[in-house]
Amino acid sequence: MRVTCPHCGSKAIITSRENVADNVSELYCSCSNTKECGATFVTSLAFKHYLNPPRGDTAQLAASLIKNLPNNIQLDLLGL
């Protein structure tokens, strides 16, 4: 992950991190362009959503859906 300075666009260095909530952190950063900028700032990092859910979650969801189907449909899905 690359953080850039919001002022000059140079690469920034993450100096520390503070978790503020589940899946949300504040990153304390400093601009690496110390001669011309030298800004320090705080930016947020948050989990938004999955593009592909974890495999275990997908299998568990599928099993739960199948268990709620009538027995004849479950057997049909299995080819029996």
Side-chain angles (χ1 to χ4, degrees):
M1 180 179 139
R2 176 171 283 202
V3 178
T4 56
C5 176
H7 178 73
C8 71
S10 296
K11 182 179 173 184
I13 299 164
I14 301 169
T15 57
S16 65
R17 181 188 80 195
E18 182 180 332
N19 294 329
V20 293
D22 287 345
N23 298 317
V24 178
S25 296
E26 288 187 341
L27 305 177
Y28 290 78
C29 306
S30 60
C31 179
S32 62
N33 181 5
T34 56
K35 287 185 179 182
E36 296 176 16
C37 182
T40 57
F41 56 95
V42 179
T43 190
S44 296
L45 173 66
F47 172 81
K48 187 173 178 185
H49 62 273
Y50 288 110
L51 297 176
N52 290 308
R55 289 187 180 129
D57 292 352
T58 304
Q60 186 177 16
L61 176 62
S64 175
L65 291 171
I66 291 170
K67 285 181 185 177
N68 289 323
L69 293 173
N71 286 341
N72 62 329
I73 295 176
Q74 288 182 27
L75 293 172
D76 190 41
L77 285 172
L78 294 172
L80 301 174

Coordinates of all heavy atoms in Angstrom, one line a residue:
M1 N 0.8 -1.2 0.0 CA 0.0 0.0 0.0 C 0.9 1.2 0.0 O 1.9 1.3 0.7 CB -0.9 0.0 1.3 CG -1.8 1.2 1.3 SD -2.8 1.0 2.8 CE -2.7 2.7 3.3
R2 N 0.5 2.2 -0.8 CA 1.3 3.4 -0.9 C 0.5 4.6 -0.4 O -0.7 4.7 -0.8 CB 1.8 3.7 -2.3 CG 2.5 5.0 -2.4 CD 3.2 5.1 -3.7 NE 4.4 4.3 -3.7 CZ 5.4 4.5 -4.5 NH1 5.4 5.4 -5.4 NH2 6.4 3.7 -4.4
V3 N 1.0 5.4 0.5 CA 0.4 6.6 0.9 C 1.1 7.8 0.3 O 2.3 7.8 0.3 CB 0.4 6.7 2.5 CG1 -0.3 8.0 2.9 CG2 -0.3 5.5 3.1
T4 N 0.4 8.7 -0.2 CA 1.0 9.9 -0.8 C 0.6 11.1 0.0 O -0.5 11.2 0.5 CB 0.6 10.1 -2.3 OG1 -0.8 10.1 -2.4 CG2 1.2 8.9 -3.1
C5 N 1.4 12.1 0.0 CA 1.2 13.4 0.6 C 0.0 14.1 -0.1 O 0.1 14.3 -1.3 CB 2.4 14.2 0.6 SG 2.2 15.9 1.3
P6 N -1.0 14.5 0.7 CA -2.1 15.3 0.0 C -1.7 16.6 -0.5 O -2.4 17.2 -1.3 CB -3.2 15.3 1.1 CG -2.4 15.2 2.4 CD -1.2 14.4 2.1
H7 N -0.6 17.2 0.0 CA -0.1 18.5 -0.4 C 0.7 18.4 -1.7 O 0.4 19.1 -2.6 CB 0.6 19.2 0.7 CG 1.1 20.5 0.4 ND1 0.3 21.6 0.2 CD2 2.4 21.0 0.0 CE1 1.0 22.7 -0.1 NE2 2.3 22.3 -0.3
C8 N 1.7 17.6 -1.7 CA 2.7 17.6 -2.8 C 2.6 16.4 -3.7 O 3.2 16.3 -4.7 CB 4.1 17.9 -2.3 SG 4.8 16.5 -1.4
G9 N 2.0 15.3 -3.2 CA 1.9 14.1 -3.9 C 3.1 13.1 -3.8 O 3.1 12.1 -4.4
S10 N 4.1 13.5 -3.0 CA 5.2 12.6 -2.8 C 4.9 11.5 -1.9 O 3.9 11.5 -1.2 CB 6.4 13.4 -2.1 OG 6.8 14.5 -2.9
K11 N 5.7 10.4 -2.0 CA 5.5 9.3 -1.1 C 5.6 9.7 0.4 O 6.4 10.5 0.7 CB 6.6 8.3 -1.4 CG 6.5 7.0 -0.6 CD 7.6 6.0 -1.0 CE 7.6 4.8 -0.1 NZ 8.8 3.9 -0.4
A12 N 4.7 9.1 1.2 CA 4.7 9.4 2.6 C 5.0 8.2 3.4 O 4.9 7.0 2.9 CB 3.3 9.9 3.0
I13 N 5.5 8.4 4.6 CA 5.9 7.3 5.4 C 4.9 7.2 6.6 O 4.6 8.2 7.2 CB 7.3 7.5 6.0 CG1 8.3 7.6 4.9 CG2 7.7 6.4 7.0 CD1 9.6 8.2 5.2
I14 N 4.4 6.0 6.8 CA 3.5 5.8 7.9 C 4.3 5.6 9.2 O 5.1 4.7 9.3 CB 2.6 4.5 7.7 CG1 1.8 4.6 6.5 CG2 1.7 4.2 8.9 CD1 1.1 3.3 6.0
T15 N 4.1 6.6 10.1 CA 4.9 6.6 11.4 C 4.3 5.8 12.5 O 4.9 5.3 13.4 CB 5.3 8.0 11.8 OG1 4.0 8.7 12.0 CG2 6.1 8.7 10.7
S16 N 2.9 5.8 12.5 CA 2.2 5.0 13.5 C 0.8 4.8 13.0 O 0.3 5.4 12.1 CB 2.2 5.7 14.9 OG 1.5 6.9 14.8
R17 N 0.1 3.9 13.8 CA -1.3 3.6 13.4 C -2.1 3.5 14.7 O -1.7 3.0 15.7 CB -1.4 2.3 12.7 CG -2.8 1.9 12.3 CD -2.8 0.5 11.7 NE -2.8 -0.5 12.9 CZ -2.5 -1.7 12.8 NH1 -2.2 -2.3 11.7 NH2 -2.5 -2.5 13.9
E18 N -3.4 4.0 14.6 CA -4.3 3.9 15.8 C -5.6 3.3 15.3 O -6.2 3.8 14.4 CB -4.5 5.3 16.4 CG -5.4 5.2 17.6 CD -5.7 6.6 18.2 OE1 -4.8 7.5 18.0 OE2 -6.7 6.8 18.8
N19 N -6.0 2.2 15.9 CA -7.3 1.5 15.6 C -8.4 2.3 16.3 O -8.3 2.5 17.5 CB -7.3 0.1 16.0 CG -6.3 -0.8 15.3 OD1 -6.0 -0.5 14.1 ND2 -5.8 -1.8 15.9
V20 N -9.3 2.8 15.5 CA -10.4 3.7 16.1 C -11.7 2.9 16.1 O -12.6 3.3 16.9 CB -10.6 5.0 15.3 CG1 -9.4 5.9 15.5 CG2 -10.8 4.8 13.8
A21 N -11.8 1.8 15.4 CA -13.0 1.0 15.4 C -12.7 -0.3 14.7 O -11.6 -0.5 14.1 CB -14.2 1.7 14.7
D22 N -13.6 -1.3 14.7 CA -13.3 -2.5 14.0 C -13.1 -2.2 12.5 O -14.0 -1.5 11.9 CB -14.5 -3.5 14.1 CG -14.6 -4.1 15.5 OD1 -13.6 -4.0 16.2 OD2 -15.6 -4.7 15.8
N23 N -12.1 -2.6 11.9 CA -11.8 -2.4 10.5 C -11.5 -1.0 10.1 O -11.6 -0.6 8.9 CB -12.8 -3.0 9.6 CG -13.0 -4.5 9.8 OD1 -12.0 -5.2 9.9 ND2 -14.2 -5.0 9.9
V24 N -11.2 -0.1 11.0 CA -10.9 1.3 10.7 C -9.7 1.7 11.5 O -9.7 1.5 12.8 CB -12.1 2.3 11.1 CG1 -11.7 3.7 10.8 CG2 -13.4 1.9 10.3
S25 N -8.7 2.3 10.8 CA -7.5 2.8 11.5 C -7.2 4.2 11.0 O -7.5 4.5 9.9 CB -6.3 1.9 11.2 OG -6.5 0.6 11.7
E26 N -6.5 4.9 11.9 CA -6.0 6.2 11.5 C -4.5 6.0 11.3 O -3.8 5.5 12.2 CB -6.3 7.3 12.5 CG -7.7 7.7 12.5 CD -8.0 8.9 13.4 OE1 -7.2 9.2 14.3 OE2 -9.0 9.5 13.2
L27 N -4.0 6.4 10.2 CA -2.5 6.3 9.9 C -1.9 7.7 10.0 O -2.3 8.6 9.4 CB -2.3 5.8 8.5 CG -3.0 4.5 8.1 CD1 -2.7 4.2 6.6 CD2 -2.6 3.3 9.0
Y28 N -0.9 7.7 10.9 CA -0.1 9.0 11.1 C 1.0 8.9 10.1 O 1.8 8.0 10.2 CB 0.3 9.1 12.6 CG -0.8 9.4 13.5 CD1 -1.7 8.3 13.9 CD2 -1.1 10.6 13.9 CE1 -2.8 8.6 14.7 CE2 -2.2 10.9 14.8 CZ -3.0 9.9 15.1 OH -4.1 10.1 16.0
C29 N 1.1 9.9 9.3 CA 2.1 9.9 8.2 C 3.0 11.1 8.1 O 2.5 12.2 8.6 CB 1.4 9.8 6.8 SG 0.2 8.4 6.8
S30 N 4.1 11.0 7.5 CA 4.9 12.2 7.2 C 5.4 12.1 5.8 O 5.8 11.0 5.3 CB 6.1 12.3 8.2 OG 6.9 11.2 8.1
C31 N 5.5 13.3 5.1 CA 5.9 13.4 3.7 C 7.4 13.1 3.7 O 8.2 13.6 4.5 CB 5.5 14.7 3.2 SG 6.1 15.0 1.5
S32 N 7.8 12.3 2.7 CA 9.2 12.0 2.5 C 10.0 13.2 1.8 O 11.2 13.2 1.8 CB 9.4 10.7 1.8 OG 8.9 10.8 0.5
N33 N 9.2 14.1 1.2 CA 9.8 15.3 0.6 C 10.1 16.4 1.6 O 9.4 17.4 1.7 CB 8.9 15.8 -0.5 CG 9.4 17.0 -1.3 OD1 10.6 17.4 -1.1 ND2 8.6 17.5 -2.2
T34 N 11.1 16.1 2.5 CA 11.3 17.0 3.6 C 11.9 18.4 3.2 O 11.7 19.3 3.9 CB 12.3 16.3 4.6 OG1 13.5 15.9 3.9 CG2 11.7 15.1 5.2
K35 N 12.6 18.5 2.1 CA 13.2 19.7 1.7 C 12.1 20.7 1.2 O 12.2 21.9 1.5 CB 14.2 19.5 0.5 CG 15.5 18.9 1.0 CD 16.5 18.9 -0.1 CE 17.8 18.3 0.3 NZ 18.8 18.3 -0.7
E36 N 11.1 20.3 0.5 CA 10.1 21.2 -0.1 C 8.8 21.2 0.6 O 8.0 22.1 0.5 CB 9.9 20.9 -1.6 CG 11.2 21.2 -2.4 CD 11.1 20.8 -3.8 OE1 9.9 20.6 -4.3 OE2 12.1 20.6 -4.5
C37 N 8.5 20.1 1.3 CA 7.1 20.0 1.9 C 7.2 19.7 3.4 O 7.0 20.5 4.3 CB 6.3 18.9 1.2 SG 4.6 18.7 1.8
G38 N 7.5 18.4 3.8 CA 7.7 18.0 5.2 C 6.4 18.0 6.0 O 6.4 18.0 7.2
A39 N 5.2 17.9 5.3 CA 4.0 17.8 6.0 C 3.8 16.5 6.8 O 4.3 15.5 6.4 CB 2.8 17.9 5.0
T40 N 3.1 16.7 7.9 CA 2.7 15.5 8.6 C 1.2 15.5 8.6 O 0.6 16.6 8.7 CB 3.2 15.5 10.1 OG1 2.8 16.6 10.7 CG2 4.7 15.4 10.1
F41 N 0.5 14.4 8.5 CA -0.9 14.3 8.4 C -1.5 13.0 8.9 O -0.7 12.0 9.1 CB -1.3 14.6 7.0 CG -0.7 13.6 6.0 CD1 -1.4 12.5 5.5 CD2 0.5 13.9 5.4 CE1 -0.8 11.6 4.6 CE2 1.1 13.0 4.5 CZ 0.4 11.9 4.1
V42 N -2.7 12.9 9.1 CA -3.4 11.7 9.5 C -4.4 11.3 8.3 O -5.1 12.2 7.8 CB -4.2 11.9 10.8 CG1 -5.0 10.6 11.2 CG2 -3.3 12.3 11.9
T43 N -4.4 10.1 7.9 CA -5.3 9.6 6.9 C -6.0 8.4 7.5 O -5.5 7.7 8.4 CB -4.6 9.3 5.6 OG1 -5.6 9.1 4.6 CG2 -3.7 8.1 5.7
S44 N -7.2 8.0 6.9 CA -7.9 6.9 7.4 C -7.8 5.7 6.5 O -7.7 5.8 5.3 CB -9.4 7.3 7.6 OG -9.6 8.3 8.5
L45 N -7.8 4.5 7.1 CA -7.8 3.3 6.4 C -9.0 2.4 6.9 O -9.1 2.2 8.1 CB -6.5 2.5 6.6 CG -6.4 1.1 6.0 CD1 -6.4 1.2 4.5 CD2 -5.1 0.5 6.5
A46 N -9.8 2.0 6.0 CA -11.0 1.3 6.4 C -11.3 0.1 5.4 O -11.1 0.2 4.2 CB -12.2 2.2 6.4
F47 N -11.7 -1.0 6.0 CA -12.2 -2.1 5.1 C -13.5 -1.7 4.6 O -14.4 -1.2 5.3 CB -12.3 -3.4 6.0 CG -13.0 -4.5 5.3 CD1 -12.3 -5.3 4.4 CD2 -14.4 -4.8 5.5 CE1 -12.9 -6.3 3.8 CE2 -15.0 -5.8 4.8 CZ -14.3 -6.6 3.9
K48 N -13.7 -1.9 3.3 CA -15.0 -1.6 2.7 C -15.9 -2.8 2.4 O -17.0 -2.9 2.9 CB -14.8 -0.8 1.4 CG -16.0 -0.2 0.8 CD -15.7 0.7 -0.4 CE -17.0 1.2 -1.0 NZ -16.8 2.0 -2.2
H49 N -15.4 -3.7 1.5 CA -16.2 -4.9 1.2 C -15.3 -5.9 0.5 O -14.3 -5.6 0.0 CB -17.4 -4.6 0.4 CG -17.1 -4.0 -1.0 ND1 -16.9 -2.7 -1.2 CD2 -16.9 -4.6 -2.2 CE1 -16.6 -2.5 -2.5 NE2 -16.6 -3.6 -3.1
Y50 N -15.8 -7.1 0.5 CA -15.1 -8.2 -0.2 C -15.4 -8.2 -1.7 O -16.6 -7.9 -2.1 CB -15.6 -9.6 0.3 CG -15.1 -9.9 1.7 CD1 -16.0 -10.0 2.8 CD2 -13.7 -10.2 1.9 CE1 -15.5 -10.3 4.1 CE2 -13.3 -10.5 3.2 CZ -14.2 -10.6 4.3 OH -13.7 -10.9 5.5
L51 N -14.5 -8.5 -2.5 CA -14.7 -8.8 -3.9 C -15.0 -10.3 -4.1 O -15.9 -10.6 -4.8 CB -13.5 -8.4 -4.7 CG -13.1 -6.9 -4.7 CD1 -11.8 -6.7 -5.5 CD2 -14.2 -6.1 -5.3
N52 N -14.3 -11.1 -3.3 CA -14.6 -12.5 -3.2 C -14.6 -12.8 -1.7 O -13.6 -12.6 -1.1 CB -13.6 -13.4 -3.9 CG -13.6 -13.2 -5.4 OD1 -14.7 -13.4 -6.0 ND2 -12.5 -12.9 -6.0
P53 N -15.7 -13.4 -1.2 CA -15.7 -13.7 0.3 C -14.7 -14.9 0.5 O -14.4 -15.6 -0.4 CB -17.2 -14.1 0.5 CG -17.7 -14.5 -0.8 CD -17.0 -13.7 -1.8
P54 N -14.3 -15.0 1.8 CA -13.4 -16.1 2.1 C -14.1 -17.4 1.8 O -15.3 -17.6 1.9 CB -13.2 -15.9 3.6 CG -13.5 -14.5 3.9 CD -14.5 -14.1 2.9
R55 N -13.3 -18.4 1.4 CA -13.9 -19.7 1.0 C -14.7 -20.4 2.1 O -15.8 -20.9 1.8 CB -12.7 -20.6 0.6 CG -12.1 -20.2 -0.7 CD -11.1 -21.3 -1.2 NE -10.6 -20.8 -2.5 CZ -9.3 -20.7 -2.8 NH1 -8.4 -21.1 -1.9 NH2 -8.9 -20.2 -3.9
G56 N -14.3 -20.3 3.3 CA -15.1 -21.0 4.4 C -16.4 -20.3 4.5 O -17.4 -21.0 4.7
D57 N -16.5 -19.0 4.4 CA -17.8 -18.3 4.5 C -18.7 -18.7 3.4 O -19.9 -18.9 3.5 CB -17.6 -16.8 4.5 CG -16.9 -16.3 5.7 OD1 -16.7 -17.1 6.7 OD2 -16.6 -15.1 5.7
T58 N -18.2 -18.9 2.1 CA -19.0 -19.2 1.0 C -19.6 -20.6 1.1 O -20.7 -20.9 0.9 CB -18.2 -19.1 -0.3 OG1 -17.6 -17.8 -0.4 CG2 -19.0 -19.4 -1.5
A59 N -18.7 -21.6 1.6 CA -19.1 -23.0 1.7 C -20.2 -23.1 2.8 O -21.2 -23.8 2.7 CB -18.0 -23.8 2.1
Q60 N -20.0 -22.3 3.9 CA -21.0 -22.3 5.0 C -22.3 -21.8 4.6 O -23.4 -22.3 4.9 CB -20.4 -21.5 6.2 CG -21.2 -21.6 7.4 CD -20.6 -20.9 8.6 OE1 -19.7 -20.1 8.4 NE2 -21.1 -21.1 9.8
L61 N -22.3 -20.7 3.8 CA -23.5 -20.1 3.3 C -24.3 -21.1 2.4 O -25.5 -21.2 2.5 CB -23.2 -18.8 2.6 CG -24.4 -18.1 1.9 CD1 -25.4 -17.7 2.9 CD2 -23.9 -16.9 1.1
A62 N -23.5 -21.7 1.5 CA -24.1 -22.7 0.6 C -24.8 -23.8 1.3 O -25.9 -24.2 1.0 CB -23.1 -23.2 -0.4
A63 N -24.1 -24.4 2.3 CA -24.6 -25.5 3.1 C -25.8 -25.0 3.8 O -26.8 -25.8 3.9 CB -23.5 -26.0 4.1
S64 N -25.9 -23.8 4.4 CA -27.0 -23.3 5.1 C -28.2 -23.2 4.2 O -29.4 -23.5 4.5 CB -26.7 -22.0 5.7 OG -27.8 -21.4 6.3
L65 N -28.0 -22.7 3.0 CA -29.1 -22.5 2.0 C -29.6 -23.9 1.6 O -30.9 -24.1 1.5 CB -28.6 -21.8 0.8 CG -28.3 -20.3 1.0 CD1 -27.6 -19.7 -0.3 CD2 -29.6 -19.5 1.3
I66 N -28.8 -24.9 1.4 CA -29.2 -26.2 0.9 C -30.0 -26.9 2.0 O -31.0 -27.5 1.8 CB -28.0 -27.1 0.5 CG1 -27.4 -26.5 -0.8 CG2 -28.4 -28.5 0.3 CD1 -26.1 -27.1 -1.2
K67 N -29.6 -26.7 3.3 CA -30.3 -27.3 4.4 C -31.7 -26.8 4.5 O -32.6 -27.5 5.0 CB -29.5 -27.1 5.7 CG -28.3 -27.9 5.9 CD -27.6 -27.6 7.2 CE -26.3 -28.4 7.3 NZ -25.6 -28.1 8.6
N68 N -32.0 -25.6 4.1 CA -33.3 -25.0 4.2 C -34.2 -25.4 3.0 O -35.4 -25.1 3.0 CB -33.2 -23.5 4.3 CG -32.7 -23.1 5.6 OD1 -32.9 -23.7 6.6 ND2 -31.8 -22.0 5.6
L69 N -33.7 -26.1 2.0 CA -34.5 -26.6 0.9 C -35.3 -27.9 1.3 O -34.8 -28.6 2.2 CB -33.6 -26.9 -0.3 CG -32.9 -25.7 -0.9 CD1 -32.0 -26.2 -2.0 CD2 -33.9 -24.7 -1.5
P70 N -36.4 -28.1 0.7 CA -37.1 -29.4 0.9 C -36.2 -30.6 0.5 O -35.4 -30.5 -0.4 CB -38.3 -29.3 0.0 CG -38.5 -27.8 -0.3 CD -37.1 -27.2 -0.2
N71 N -36.5 -31.7 1.2 CA -35.6 -32.9 1.0 C -35.6 -33.3 -0.5 O -34.5 -33.7 -1.0 CB -36.1 -34.1 1.8 CG -35.8 -33.9 3.3 OD1 -34.9 -33.1 3.6 ND2 -36.5 -34.6 4.2
N72 N -36.7 -33.3 -1.2 CA -36.7 -33.7 -2.6 C -35.8 -32.8 -3.5 O -35.1 -33.3 -4.4 CB -38.1 -33.8 -3.2 CG -38.8 -32.5 -3.2 OD1 -38.6 -31.6 -2.3 ND2 -39.7 -32.3 -4.2
I73 N -35.7 -31.6 -3.2 CA -34.9 -30.7 -4.0 C -33.4 -30.9 -3.6 O -32.5 -30.9 -4.4 CB -35.3 -29.2 -3.8 CG1 -36.7 -29.0 -4.3 CG2 -34.3 -28.2 -4.4 CD1 -37.3 -27.6 -4.1
Q74 N -33.2 -31.2 -2.3 CA -31.8 -31.5 -1.9 C -31.3 -32.7 -2.6 O -30.2 -32.7 -3.1 CB -31.7 -31.7 -0.4 CG -31.9 -30.5 0.5 CD -31.8 -30.8 2.0 OE1 -31.1 -31.8 2.4 NE2 -32.4 -30.0 2.8
L75 N -32.1 -33.8 -2.7 CA -31.7 -35.0 -3.4 C -31.6 -34.7 -4.9 O -30.6 -35.3 -5.5 CB -32.8 -36.1 -3.1 CG -32.9 -36.6 -1.7 CD1 -34.1 -37.5 -1.5 CD2 -31.6 -37.3 -1.3
D76 N -32.4 -33.9 -5.4 CA -32.3 -33.6 -6.9 C -30.9 -32.9 -7.1 O -30.3 -33.1 -8.2 CB -33.5 -32.7 -7.3 CG -33.5 -32.5 -8.8 OD1 -33.3 -33.5 -9.5 OD2 -33.9 -31.4 -9.2
L77 N -30.5 -32.0 -6.2 CA -29.3 -31.3 -6.4 C -28.1 -32.2 -6.4 O -27.1 -32.0 -7.0 CB -29.1 -30.2 -5.3 CG -29.9 -28.9 -5.5 CD1 -29.8 -28.0 -4.3 CD2 -29.5 -28.1 -6.7
L78 N -28.2 -33.3 -5.6 CA -27.2 -34.3 -5.4 C -27.2 -35.3 -6.6 O -26.3 -36.1 -6.7 CB -27.3 -35.0 -4.1 CG -27.0 -34.1 -2.9 CD1 -27.3 -34.9 -1.6 CD2 -25.5 -33.7 -2.9
G79 N -28.2 -35.2 -7.4 CA -28.4 -36.2 -8.5 C -28.9 -37.5 -8.1 O -28.6 -38.5 -8.7
L80 N -29.6 -37.5 -7.0 CA -30.1 -38.8 -6.5 C -31.6 -39.0 -6.7 O -32.4 -38.1 -6.8 CB -29.8 -39.0 -5.0 CG -28.3 -38.9 -4.6 CD1 -28.2 -38.9 -3.1 CD2 -27.6 -40.1 -5.2

